Amino acid sequence: MTAKKKSARLSATPPDYLQGIARDMWSAIVPVLNKQDLNVTQLDSSIVEAFCINYQSMREAYENVSENGQSKKAYKTTLSPVTGEIVATDFVGFKRNPATQILDSATSRLKQLGNELGLTPASRQELIQSAGNDGDENVAADLAKFFGKK
């Protein structure tokens, strides 16, 4: 039997250009990924970066929707051609908050990227069970703790 060569793990330090929530997500998720035998390496860093960036986009979009609502009333204003004054303001319906589209898109991308990284509920459960079966209770506890708090 030959020894299995370990690939370069992801750096625990987030890339400099990641800021805010994306940087925090990198710091939270990379140690968990590096502890697992998922074969997530430096080659996969762009997937992890995209996950972190989309997580930040999702959170910011959600904050915007929470503050401003999913939609707002839209009005058409008619001006007098002579004086330029407002002569009528008519309700024309509701306009969707653009942040809802960002929220939808980021959530979909997170699901896709999470699948690629083994972060879906089904794959998480499988990892927790296999870690527990291999006798590495710390890894199982780390996974359960990390994903339980989100």
Side-chain angles (χ1 to χ4, degrees), residues 8-68:
R9 295 293 193 174
L10 292 168
S11 171
T13 305
D16 290 339
Y17 52 85
L18 286 182
Q19 300 298 316
I21 296 169
R23 189 172 187 82
D24 294 341
M25 177 53 78
W26 180 282
S27 295
I29 199 169
V30 165
V32 173
L33 291 172
N34 281 340
K35 276 188 176 183
Q36 309 315 308
D37 192 21
L38 298 175
N39 213 18
V40 178
T41 67
Q42 276 305 123
L43 295 173
D44 304 307
S45 65
S46 62
I47 297 170
V48 177
E49 289 170 20
F51 184 89
C52 295
I53 291 166
N54 278 281
Y55 182 77
Q56 179 169 338
S57 293
M58 180 194 72
R59 292 280 305 270
E60 289 174 352
Y62 178 74
E63 286 175 21
N64 183 293
V65 170
S66 293
E67 290 173 13
N68 301 306

Side-chain angles (χ1 to χ4, degrees), residues 63-72 95-100:
E63 286 175 21
N64 183 293
V65 170
S66 293
E67 290 173 13
N68 301 306
Q70 292 185 22
S71 62
K72 66 178 185 176
K95 183 173 181 166
R96 181 178 181 183
N97 180 342
T100 59

Side-chain angles (χ1 to χ4, degrees), residues 32 119 124-125 128 140-150:
V32 173
L119 301 176
R124 242 187 353 259
Q125 188 61 36
I128 290 169
D142 287 346
L143 273 172
K145 183 173 138 186
F146 176 76
F147 289 106
K149 74 176 186 178
K150 295 294 174 198

